[in-house]
Amino acid sequence: MTPCNHATSQVGDFFIGHKQYDKAVRLFTIAGEAHRALELISTHNIPITEEVAEALCPEQPAGQGGSDETRVALLLKVAKACKRQGNYHLACKKYTQAGDKVCAW
């Protein structure tokens, strides 16, 4: 973790301490701590916007034919969170990006 990401993460912890979970989610996303952001989203029912969903899921590197397991697992977690929140359009998009066409339907 770079010093900048560490500072961003610390500010996220500050927001958690002050019950400003939506701001903490954005900061953890910026800091690259997607798992902490998803934990807050699930625990405190923070709405997932398309912007947050895209920031949580890294893009597949160009020229890579296969799929990275951690990327797919993260996409599936985001998709499930979107589905629980009733954001079916975004859930479908993330399931499709993860390669799970059955769940996307």
Side-chain angles (χ1 to χ4, degrees):
M1 182 179 292
T2 64
C4 183
N5 286 349
H6 182 67
T8 304
S9 181
Q10 285 182 326
V11 175
D13 289 331
F14 171 82
F15 282 131
I16 289 173
H18 289 83
K19 299 186 184 336
Q20 296 182 356
Y21 304 113
D22 56 334
K23 292 179 183 178
V25 165
R26 281 187 252 141
L27 287 174
F28 288 138
T29 301
I30 291 168
E33 295 188 32
H35 295 289
R36 284 188 76 185
L38 282 170
E39 182 181 319
L40 282 174
I41 287 168
S42 296
T43 306
H44 300 287
N45 201 27
I46 306 298
I48 300 176
T49 63
E50 188 156 355
E51 179 182 287
V52 169
E54 292 300 322
L56 283 171
C57 301
E59 291 188 25
Q60 187 171 1
Q64 182 178 342
S67 60
D68 183 31
E69 289 179 20
T70 56
R71 178 181 172 274
V72 170
L74 189 57
L75 283 165
L76 290 173
K77 285 181 182 180
V78 172
K80 287 176 187 175
C82 290
K83 185 178 174 184
R84 277 194 304 271
Q85 292 181 2
N87 191 343
Y88 299 111
H89 174 75
L90 193 53
C92 178
K93 181 177 178 180
K94 293 301 165 188
Y95 277 126
T96 302
Q97 287 176 349
D100 192 343
K101 308 263 191 247
V102 174
C103 283
W105 273 90

